[in-house]
Amino acid sequence: MDSKEYKDKLVKYTAEVTDTVLSFMPKCDDEHKLLFEAMEYSVANGGKRLRPLMIRESFMALGGCKDKLCYVYPFMAALEFIHSYSLVHDDLPDMDNDMYRRGKLTTHAKYGADIAILAGDGLLNLATETAAKAMVLAADNKDSVMMERTIRAFDVLMKKAGADGMIGGQIVDVANTGKLVGKKTLDFIYRLKTGALLEASLMIGAILQGRSEEEVKLMESVGTMTGLAFQIKDDILDETSTKEVLGKDIHSDADNNKVTYVTLYGIEESEKEVERLTNETIPAFEKLGIADTFLKELIMSLIHRDR
Ligand code: GRG
């Protein structure tokens, strides 16, 4: 796939995935106007849609057929809702206290911290409700194969978002803010805080496509390495990018007294680590027979992302 073909596909796929995610947002009614508005603002305000894209492309790369995508869509939306809520809560005054994200005011900066907390809570509940739709659909269709797969995918989604996943990483991050942590702690935080949702994305695609436990584990390992690389790149961009390109305040880590890969190793070494970790995913793609897919290109492209 040449670079133009990849870029064209990325634009097209991102738009499709965004439509899919937004189609699961509740319709705004007068009673819940403020809540729904703040929830919608938090999801609809841009973003790379990386996680839902990874679910869909993992499913498709592994041979998924289009008529089963109806079981994949709810998971794509659910994971993006979880990601969105985590950003809303992460931006709060008592967490990172960030005022800008994706080039716009953060949810708490626009609506106040009280509403932002509730919008985040609302999105987490909506994520569960949305993922459950896939299981209900399988039950309605009396499709026992998809029933089993959607239950397994649901289990992975909830685990990776919870105490053994994203939240488990965030708490260690928060507890160590201002402390001089080393690589071991940093890797633990990154693997859970950032990696867990990327692992979930790739695993869910594979599970819904009925792949073996071993293949799901291989996908998980791709997610682990991608997550670490993704977070290290995030550390680098926080130092080297601009507010205009990144859409949020830069030097947020330094301002919040956070040790990052850049603090420990400098920009150049951190860049090399992003490349090394990303390239380490290649054998898994080859083993799975999906080395020539959009999914692999997507993951490789993250080395050079600028936002
Ligand atoms: C439960 C109180 C409570 C808070 C949850 C877990 C959590 C707070 C926050 C973690 C969120 C976080 C900052 C994770 C780091 C991962 C990361 C680099 C997120 C940005 O992801 P992108 O670049 O964002 O995919 P876009 O804007 O493109 O969607």
Side-chain angles (χ1 to χ4, degrees), residues 46-51 80 83 85-87 89-90 95-96 101-102 166-167 170 193-194 230-231 234 248 305 307:
K48 294 182 284 299
R49 310 296 183 210
L50 188 60
R51 295 148 191 83
E80 188 67 3
H83 168 61
Y85 111 80
S86 80
L87 299 181
H89 282 185
D90 194 56
M95 294 258 187
D96 281 357
R101 181 171 287 283
R102 298 167 172 173
M166 183 183 70
I167 297 177
Q170 178 74 1
K193 179 179 94 163
T194 310
F230 191 82
Q231 185 56 54
D234 208 66
K248 60 180 183 177
R305 73 188 172 98
R307 67 184 179 96

Side-chain angles (χ1 to χ4, degrees), residues 149-165:
R149 291 180 192 175
T150 50
I151 289 171
R152 288 190 192 286
F154 186 76
D155 182 44
V156 166
L157 178 68
M158 290 300 137
K159 275 197 186 123
K160 295 286 183 187
D164 286 332

Side-chain angles (χ1 to χ4, degrees), residues 25-191:
M25 288 298 299
K27 299 285 161 280
C28 201
D29 61 30
D30 279 348
E31 241 170 275
H32 303 91
K33 197 170 181 313
L34 189 53
L35 177 65
F36 286 176
E37 233 182 71
M39 285 165 67
E40 174 133 359
Y41 178 80
S42 312
V43 178
N45 64 350
K48 294 182 284 299
R49 310 296 183 210
L50 188 60
R51 295 148 191 83
L53 199 52
M54 280 167 68
I55 295 185
R56 193 182 82 168
E57 293 312 308
S58 152
F59 177 77
M60 293 310 283
L62 293 169
C65 59
K66 288 202 165 136
D67 66 350
K68 295 279 188 222
L69 276 171
C70 52
Y71 296 104
V72 181
Y73 293 148
F75 284 101
M76 290 163 59
L79 191 37
E80 188 67 3
F81 295 154
I82 290 174
H83 168 61
S84 302
Y85 111 80
S86 80
L87 299 181
V88 171
H89 282 185
D90 194 56
D91 290 335
L92 283 167
D94 280 347
M95 294 258 187
D96 281 357
N97 195 19
D98 282 320
M99 301 302 281
Y100 289 93
R101 181 171 287 283
R102 298 167 172 173
K104 301 203 177 73
L105 286 175
T106 49
T107 307
H108 76 85
K110 190 170 166 70
Y111 292 94
D114 47 1
I115 304 299
I117 291 170
L118 290 171
D121 293 344
L123 284 169
L124 178 55
N125 277 282
L126 180 63
T128 317
E129 212 179 305
T130 304
K133 283 187 198 303
M135 296 181 277
V136 172
L137 183 68
D140 287 348
N141 289 343
K142 303 198 172 18
D143 187 336
S144 58
V145 171
M146 287 316 292
M147 188 78 216
E148 193 198 323
R149 291 180 192 175
T150 50
I151 289 171
R152 288 190 192 286
F154 186 76
D155 182 44
V156 166
L157 178 68
M158 290 300 137
K159 275 197 186 123
K160 295 286 183 187
D164 286 332
M166 183 183 70
I167 297 177
Q170 178 74 1
I171 188 88
V172 179
D173 191 8
V174 167
N176 280 291
T177 296
K179 293 186 188 155
L180 214 62
V181 294
K183 182 176 186 300
K184 202 169 163 224
T185 308
L186 221 47
D187 283 352
F188 177 86
I189 294 169
Y190 289 9
R191 187 170 56 78

